[in-house]
């Protein structure tokens, strides 16, 4: 089961939160917010690795249904094995919304929002995958004691998997 902790501005578009449960995915829970670009974009940030994923917000009612496929594209771009991606998608078959609960991740999400605005430089149709990959190279203070950047944190997590799960 996938748990997505959404900000109020995203909850206003996708629906009310349910009861918070534990995420059963390898990467764990995700945080998400809406970016009011034209067209609007959703920013997802993984709680454990701080990996960012940008994707179109519209149609908002299907955002959570579309997220696993966008994550699969981002994970593949980061070099994740097909088997790992497949298992993660299987675990994401069921998804629940919850309110945000980790202020540190919300702070990182806010920083990614500002950086994404700068990196897109007013481009009305930015490459969201390329922007996601670029944001993943950003040093993040919650990761300083570990691998400093979300892309390095993800790589370390994938390397720590037993060979049968890679």
């Amino acid at each position: 089961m996938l748990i997505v902790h959404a900000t109020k501005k995203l909850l206003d578009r996708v629906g009310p939160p349910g009861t918070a449960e534990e995420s059963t995915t390898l990467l764990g829970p995700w945080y998400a917010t809406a970016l009011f670009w034209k067209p609007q974009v959703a920013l997802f940030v993984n709680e454990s690795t701080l990996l960012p994923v940008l994707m179109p917000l519209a149609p908002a009612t299907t955002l959570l249904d579309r997220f696993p496929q966008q994550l699969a594209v981002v994970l593949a771009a980061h070099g994740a094995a097909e088997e790992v991606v497949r298992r993660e998608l299987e675990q994401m078959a069921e998804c629940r919304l919850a309110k945000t609960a980790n202020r540190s991740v919300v702070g990182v999400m806010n920083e990614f929002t500002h950086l994404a605005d700068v990196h897109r430089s007013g481009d009305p149709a930015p490459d969201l995958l390329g922007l996601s990959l670029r944001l993943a190279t950003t040093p993040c203070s919650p990761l300083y004691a570990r691998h400093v950047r979300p892309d390095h944190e993800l790589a370390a997590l994938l390397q720590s998997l037993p060979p049968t799960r890679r």
Side-chain angles (χ1 to χ4, degrees), residues 4 6-17 97-100:
V4 175
T7 61
K8 181 174 178 351
K9 60 184 173 180
L10 184 62
L11 289 172
D12 289 345
R13 281 156 185 76
V14 298
L97 276 174
K99 291 182 179 180
T100 58

Side-chain angles (χ1 to χ4, degrees), residues 9-153:
K9 60 184 173 180
L10 184 62
L11 289 172
D12 289 345
R13 281 156 185 76
V14 298
T19 57
E21 298 179 37
E22 290 295 315
S23 182
T24 60
T25 64
L26 170 68
L27 294 172
W30 287 81
Y31 280 65
T33 192
L35 305 182
F36 298 116
W37 299 352
K38 295 210 187 290
Q40 293 182 356
V41 171
L43 168 64
F44 288 80
V45 175
N46 180 251
E47 185 176 49
S48 62
T49 64
L50 302 181
L51 182 71
V53 175
L54 290 161
M55 63 183 289
L57 179 59
T61 56
T62 65
L63 180 66
L64 296 180
D65 296 330
R66 293 181 290 118
F67 172 66
Q69 288 306 316
Q70 184 65 23
L71 175 61
V73 170
V74 171
L75 289 175
H78 280 286
E82 287 181 30
E83 181 65 18
V84 171
V85 174
R86 185 188 61 75
R87 281 199 201 109
E88 192 72 354
L89 292 180
E90 286 174 1
Q91 291 294 316
M92 292 179 159
E94 188 177 349
C95 182
R96 297 261 163 68
L97 276 174
K99 291 182 179 180
T100 58
N102 184 326
R103 290 171 48 188
S104 179
V105 178
V106 172
V108 168
M109 209 164 31
N110 288 335
E111 288 300 315
F112 282 159
T113 297
H114 295 299
L115 286 171
D117 277 334
V118 169
H119 292 318
R120 76 182 180 114
S121 302
D123 183 354
D127 171 18
L128 297 180
L129 175 60
L131 197 49
S132 296
L133 296 174
R134 186 170 184 183
L135 290 175
T137 64
T138 304
C140 298
S141 62
L143 299 178
Y144 281 169
R146 298 185 309 238
H147 299 97
V148 183
R149 299 173 9 181
D151 58 346
H152 291 171
E153 190 72 17

